[in-house]
Amino acid sequence: MRLVVAECQAHYSGRLAAHLPRARRLIVVKADGSVLLHSDGGSYKPLNWMSPPCSMAVREPDDLQKERGVTEVWRVQHSKADDRLDIEIFDVHHDSAHELGVDPGLVKDGVEAHLQRMLAEQIDLVGPGHTLIRREYPTAIGPVDILARDAHGATVAIEIKRRGDIDGVEQLTRYVELLNRDPLLTPVRGVFAAQEIKPQARVLAIDRGFTCLTLNYEEMKGYDDVDSRLF
Amino acid sequence: MRLVVAECQAHYSGRLAAHLPRARRLIVVKADGSVLLHSDGGSYKPLNWMSPPCSMAVREPDDLQKERGVTEVWRVQHSKADDRLDIEIFDVHHDSAHELGVDPGLVKDGVEAHLQRMLAEQIDLVGPGHTLIRREYPTAIGPVDILARDAHGATVAIEIKRRGDIDGVEQLTRYVELLNRDPLLTPVRGVFAAQEIKPQARVLAIDRGFTCLTLNYEEMKGYDDVDSRLF
DNA sequence: TTGTCTATCTCGTTT
DNA sequence: AAACGAGGTAGACAA
């Protein structure tokens, strides 16, 4: 990994064209050839970058660039796509290289899968008398998160999201429409369950005749824990 | 901006819980207090990070940590949310600070907005005899990209995307359905216009009775330039 | 490899 | 401030 702090200016051309005016920035050149241009603020997203696989060619500035004070020109070219990042280097304030080795990587805990598992275990949150048919019920257009049966024997298709927006409602619509064609399952009701349901999504879901269910993650987890402690 | 290359181990707790085993990494501490942990590959996204606003507290390791070789413990706490990043520092290989100043930021060239403006100007790309009603035609569920009238006086709703996928077709479907309820506009045809239309999206669009229009950005821009040169 | 879905998304714009 | 949409989305996982 090479770290350079320098006055620089950059142009990106690929899916879009973008320009980065002259300023002092951090330039990170990673072992895989990828390049990041970071400012001293913002979040983790670089101002500009090139993803691997890519390669960098360093060349001398032409006369016009020399006049402008450019000392080096870096061209970072993507190996597969027509994406290119051109960096003009002015004054260099820092330049160092470091061996980092391979990283073992991040270990995460689950979120949505956890919600789905918990709702399957606490299926009566959907309503009294509900029973689970199965999780990840397979259909031609993908698995339905949870398929259940309500107290009256009707089928219930449940779509679970962490954040419920309009896309999730559309997805549920496709599932319910498809499942209702199955004479063994029809009538199928739709339930849209999420930790947070966006207002627009709620309106659309209700318009489509679905039930909205807001999931309280902490509460469900508490129930889960109690459950675990008991057995 | 502070750059540290060090052996480190980290824990994140917030929206999720995550752990980063001990390894040599780049730690970037930005002027706004945000922190990035980067490995030497897999560009763009850090292994772990804390977004601003946040603050960092450095403390001495406890006895157990000292035994494990920890020399410093950094706690980065988000100022508003309950997000925390704990970093244990082992050996430090590099540590430097740099003044970068405020960045002027990225200047982009247009993407979808540009496509929309150009198609409005070259509305006959949709078909001969078409006339523009207006761009960003407002409806209850959001603005329609372009509303036009065809040679026979029928209304045409155009949804523009850089990349046309299934979401865009669903969006257009909602618009066309809504607009068709307006006696002053009906009948309304749907046109799905994009630089690139995914096969699945094309199938769905045609199934819904929409016209697909592939936009050639370079060609349209050329026309645009010629147009600009003439006037 | 390709497609699909999630994200500690980020980042803008609008309401 | 909250919500909505787009992204050079990136990254992960299934088909």
Side-chain angles (χ1 to χ4, degrees):
Chain A
M1 176 182 284
R2 182 177 172 194
L3 303 176
V4 178
V5 176
E7 297 277 327
C8 65
Q9 184 173 324
H11 293 271
Y12 165 76
S13 119
R15 317 288 179 91
L16 60 71
H19 171 67
L20 213 41
R22 179 174 172 168
R24 193 179 298 186
R25 303 188 175 93
L26 166 65
I27 310 173
V28 179
V29 184
K30 293 195 174 186
D32 59 8
S34 58
V35 176
L36 317 181
L37 290 178
H38 268 282
S39 67
D40 209 348
S43 192
Y44 69 68
K45 193 179 175 180
L47 292 164
N48 223 324
W49 71 94
M50 185 57 69
S51 309
C54 63
S55 60
M56 189 170 89
V58 179
R59 64 172 177 76
E60 290 297 303
D62 60 33
D63 292 344
L64 215 129
Q65 288 171 320
K66 273 181 189 160
E67 269 178 42
R68 289 169 45 233
V70 177
T71 57
E72 270 190 1
V73 178
W74 297 1
R75 167 159 291 185
V76 190
Q77 173 73 51
H78 197 275
S79 309
K80 296 187 174 178
D82 190 17
D83 283 26
R84 175 189 299 164
L85 181 61
D86 287 303
I87 309 172
E88 293 177 337
I89 307 286
F90 298 82
D91 307 323
V92 175
H93 294 89
H94 173 92
D95 192 343
S96 62
H98 310 271
E99 281 297 320
L100 263 58
V102 179
D103 202 284
L106 190 70
V107 186
K108 286 187 184 183
D109 280 358
V111 194
E112 188 175 322
H114 196 195
L115 275 177
Q116 189 194 105
R117 192 170 52 72
M118 290 193 301
L119 186 57
E121 285 168 4
Q122 307 170 38
I123 193 67
D124 54 356
L125 282 177
V126 179
H130 279 68
T131 52
L132 179 70
I133 296 177
R134 71 163 288 183
R135 286 168 52 196
E136 302 285 350
Y137 182 90
T139 77
I141 55 172
V144 178
D145 287 341
I146 291 180
L147 203 67
R149 206 173 296 285
D150 70 13
H152 313 291
T155 310
V156 181
I158 309 172
E159 176 65 31
I160 301 172
K161 294 284 174 197
R162 199 170 60 80
R163 282 180 186 150
D165 61 14
I166 241 163
D167 290 353
V169 182
E170 296 290 10
Q171 199 178 341
L172 179 57
T173 307
R174 292 193 289 271
Y175 286 137
V176 169
E177 194 189 321
L178 189 72
L179 293 171
N180 261 319
R181 294 184 199 164
D182 185 338
L184 295 175
L185 296 176
T186 195
V188 181
R189 277 198 304 122
V191 172
F192 191 56
Q195 269 189 284
E196 178 201 346
I197 299 178
K198 298 278 172 73
Q200 288 196 343
R202 186 180 293 274
V203 170
L204 186 63
I206 290 167
D207 186 63
R208 298 263 165 94
F210 302 147
T211 309
C212 288
L213 176 63
T214 303
L215 302 173
N216 187 320
Y217 184 78
E218 292 305 320
E219 211 168 82
M220 291 173 79
K221 210 163 60 176
Y223 179 91
D224 215 40
D225 292 345
V226 169
D227 208 54
S228 310
R229 269 202 298 276
L230 287 174
F231 300 96
Chain B
M1 175 182 284
R2 181 176 171 195
L3 303 176
V4 178
V5 176
E7 295 278 325
C8 65
Q9 182 173 324
H11 293 270
Y12 166 76
S13 113
R15 321 281 182 97
L16 59 72
H19 171 66
L20 212 42
R22 178 174 173 168
R24 193 180 298 187
R25 304 188 174 91
L26 166 66
I27 309 173
V28 179
V29 184
K30 292 194 175 188
D32 57 8
S34 58
V35 175
L36 317 182
L37 291 178
H38 268 282
S39 66
D40 207 350
S43 107
Y44 190 108
K45 198 178 174 183
L47 292 164
N48 221 325
W49 71 95
M50 184 59 68
S51 309
C54 62
S55 60
M56 188 170 91
V58 179
R59 63 171 177 79
E60 290 298 302
D62 61 32
D63 291 345
L64 217 130
Q65 288 172 321
K66 273 181 189 160
E67 268 178 43
R68 289 171 43 235
V70 177
T71 57
E72 271 190 0
V73 178
W74 295 3
R75 168 159 291 186
V76 190
Q77 173 74 51
H78 196 275
S79 309
K80 297 189 172 177
D82 189 18
D83 283 25
R84 175 189 299 165
L85 180 62
D86 286 305
I87 309 172
E88 293 178 337
I89 307 284
F90 298 84
D91 307 323
V92 175
H93 295 88
H94 173 92
D95 193 344
S96 63
H98 311 271
E99 281 297 320
L100 262 58
V102 179
D103 201 283
L106 191 70
V107 184
K108 284 187 187 183
D109 278 1
V111 200
E112 188 173 323
H114 196 193
L115 279 176
Q116 188 193 106
R117 192 171 51 73
M118 289 194 301
L119 185 58
E121 286 168 2
Q122 306 169 39
I123 193 69
D124 54 356
L125 282 176
V126 179
H130 279 68
T131 52
L132 179 71
I133 296 176
R134 72 163 286 183
R135 286 167 52 194
E136 301 284 349
Y137 182 90
T139 78
I141 54 171
V144 179
D145 287 339
I146 292 181
L147 205 66
R149 207 174 294 286
D150 72 12
H152 312 289
T155 310
V156 181
I158 308 172
E159 176 65 32
I160 301 172
K161 294 286 175 196
R162 199 171 56 77
R163 282 185 186 154
D165 61 15
I166 239 164
D167 291 352
V169 180
E170 296 288 12
Q171 199 178 340
L172 179 58
T173 305
R174 292 192 293 271
Y175 286 138
V176 169
E177 192 189 326
L178 189 74
L179 293 171
N180 261 320
R181 294 183 197 167
D182 185 339
L184 295 175
L185 295 177
T186 195
V188 181
R189 276 199 304 123
V191 172
F192 191 56
Q195 269 188 284
E196 179 202 343
I197 299 178
K198 299 274 173 73
Q200 286 195 341
R202 186 180 293 274
V203 169
L204 185 64
I206 289 168
D207 185 63
R208 298 264 164 92
F210 301 147
T211 309
C212 288
L213 176 63
T214 303
L215 301 173
N216 186 321
Y217 185 77
E218 292 305 320
E219 212 169 81
M220 290 173 79
K221 209 164 62 178
Y223 178 92
D224 216 40
D225 292 345
V226 169
D227 209 54
S228 309
R229 270 202 298 277
L230 287 174
F231 299 97

